[in-house]
Amino acid sequence: MTVLEGARERRVRTGGVELCVAELGDPRRPTVVLVHGYPDSKEVWSEVAARLAGRFHVVLYDVRGHGRSSAPSPLRGGFTLEKLTDDFLAVADAVSPDRPVHLVGHDWGSVQSWEFVTVKRTEGRIASFTSMSGPSLDHFGHWINKRLRRPTPRRVGQLLGQGAKSWYVYLLHTPVLPELAWRGPLGKRWPGILERVEKVPGGDYPTASLPSDAAHGAWLYRDNVRPRLRRPREDAYAHAPVQLITPLGDAFLSERLYDGLELWAPRLTRRTLPAKHWVPRTRPDRLADWITEFVTATEDGRSETAANGKYADRFGGQLVLVTGAGSGIGRATAFAFAEAGARVVAVDRDAEAAARTAELSRLIGARAAWAEAVDVSDEQAMEKLAARVAAEYGVVDVLVNNAGIGLSGSFFDTTPEDWKKVLDVNLWGVIHGCRLFGRQMAERGQGGHIVNTASAAAFQPSRVLPAYGTSKAAVLMLSECLRAELADRGIGVTAICPGLVNTNITSTAHFAGVDAEEEKRRQQRTARLYGARNYPPEKVADAVLEAVVRNRAVVPVTPEARGAHLMSRFAPRMLRRLARVKPPL
Ligand code: NAD
């Protein structure tokens, strides 16, 4: 996609400058105004704008002194928040004279938008505000003062943490040097730095105006930061609903800055995403989706947008595919994502069970849910599934390869057919999932997460689980290798390793080397044992969501799994001895 393809341009005169304004989409639709940050121009939004243009009237403008907007003269004093508010109002009046606009800001675009949405004179002109990586200077001032006034160790830590992240702000306050650096070597190197450090894809961004944007933009800091932090406004309350999107890997802003933001913005929806600072470039799909949902909800007069489940801030609207979702751990996992407002694809070879999971998921909060009847061991069926999901629902954000079957019996009782069956489902099912959906994630280049359900049997040897344990150990190692390979693409991989969990697996597990009657007896016995242990699959589901949020590598779930995991590291001999014990039959 090229920068702002198909955009209509106009010039808006205000306060001695001329602003370059670009418009996309149908002007009769709700207007979304995208405000860029530092050191950027409106083109930072090109990917997001292109995704929004089908639904909204999208407006972008170069902030004064940036891109193709003219700069104030003199520069000093020309970038105050008051003047930036004049500019915004002039743009809003030109592009949407009769209806309030939906405001979206990134970095300094967000800092100034906080001003727009908290001053009296814009009341009625802003329908909603989506903020990313740019706090209100007034809120920030109060945040600092509160910590200075009552400095507990935690608060001092928070101050020092944000202080260290603000190093560049001090530099920008030095005279002339920033201008020289940006117009010289830093300007040349910046695209490479963004690509290497921030993982911003190369191409037609940043634009050629970067050195002068960055040089002029230094005045944003000089004109506003010190005065506002010293004397923050007392009445900086948002008069429109706010959606706060916080990238958790932001090198410049601490998440803690937004603690207690509800005080200033009572109608607040929080979103988090595992990404660095330049989210408009690295996560355009997610941002466009969240902006669309928020704007649509506000237009429809709904104040509640996000689901209220735990982690709703993170998984709301995300596309999550769970295999083996018709029962046990898979079903509980689908429900947990549904509660967080995700869009859920429930896959199971049992069509009816998958349909039931999808139906219940919708009832408990999923933004949408679909059922797919597929055998994960069937390569072609999985290929078709991957193509269908991509075409109909999009690229999966979180993939949970969970489908699995049980198999018990000594090595010599386990037939080649038994081996084939368990490896086909437990290992090949996971391989197909990772290969097909993982590739789509990697090619999209906007991060994601893969969870593979292994088992405590992956690190705990047992004389009665040679085939099952082997399949799960392979899943564990596959997950570790894939995690290493996908780390620099922002894709996390987790192996979940449950111990004994009360599900249907016991009554469907195959017991090798015994006749049908004895197999039935053993299934019932194991089911009773797991029933007595009574560890619910919902707790495994909780561990899955937490593992994704914290990007954990290997997660043993249940106390016995955690114990075995520790022993495999610190007392492997003891674990080997335990492996020899014959289970009572
Ligand atoms: P479960 O039997 O309750 O659910 C498994 C689901 O997977 C079922 O709905 C089944 O129809 C589906 N499935 C089986 N084979 C499939 C295939 N080829 N294609 C598509 N779907 C298929 O079992 P569960 O305990 O929820 O197991 C889920 C996962 O957890 C499995 O990988 C299992 O090995 C693992 N696990 C379970 C336990 C436990 O104690 N229950 C412990 C460790 C690991």
Side-chain angles (χ1 to χ4, degrees), residues 324-330 347-350 374-377 402-405 425-426 453-456 468 472 498-505 508 530:
S327 167
I329 296 170
V347 178
D348 204 289
R349 66 178 168 192
D350 179 340
V374 173
D375 178 343
V376 295
S377 65
N402 160 81
I405 50 174
V425 179
N426 291 10
T453 312
S455 163
Y468 182 80
K472 293 301 187 180
L500 307 183
V501 183
N502 194 9
T503 69
N504 265 341
I505 201 164
T508 52
Y530 278 50

Side-chain angles (χ1 to χ4, degrees), residues 500-521:
L500 307 183
V501 183
N502 194 9
T503 69
N504 265 341
I505 201 164
T506 43
S507 25
T508 52
H510 176 46
F511 288 77
V514 296
D515 62 23
E517 203 179 312
E518 176 59 15
E519 179 169 56
K520 187 104 219 118
R521 198 183 69 78

Side-chain angles (χ1 to χ4, degrees), residues 507-581:
S507 25
T508 52
H510 176 46
F511 288 77
V514 296
D515 62 23
E517 203 179 312
E518 176 59 15
E519 179 169 56
K520 187 104 219 118
R521 198 183 69 78
R522 291 191 185 182
Q523 283 172 343
Q524 284 167 353
R525 218 193 124 77
T526 325
R528 274 201 302 279
L529 174 77
Y530 278 50
R533 167 76 185 83
N534 203 18
Y535 194 92
E538 290 74 21
K539 281 199 179 177
V540 186
D542 272 353
V544 170
L545 269 69
E546 190 175 327
V548 178
V549 167
R550 307 205 185 290
N551 191 12
R552 297 238 159 90
V554 179
V555 181
V557 193
T558 74
E560 64 275 10
R562 280 195 291 276
H565 193 233
L566 281 177
M567 276 165 82
S568 71
R569 284 160 147 193
F570 303 112
R573 277 197 200 176
M574 194 128 89
L575 207 57
R576 284 184 200 121
R577 237 186 251 138
L578 276 176
R580 293 186 191 186
V581 175

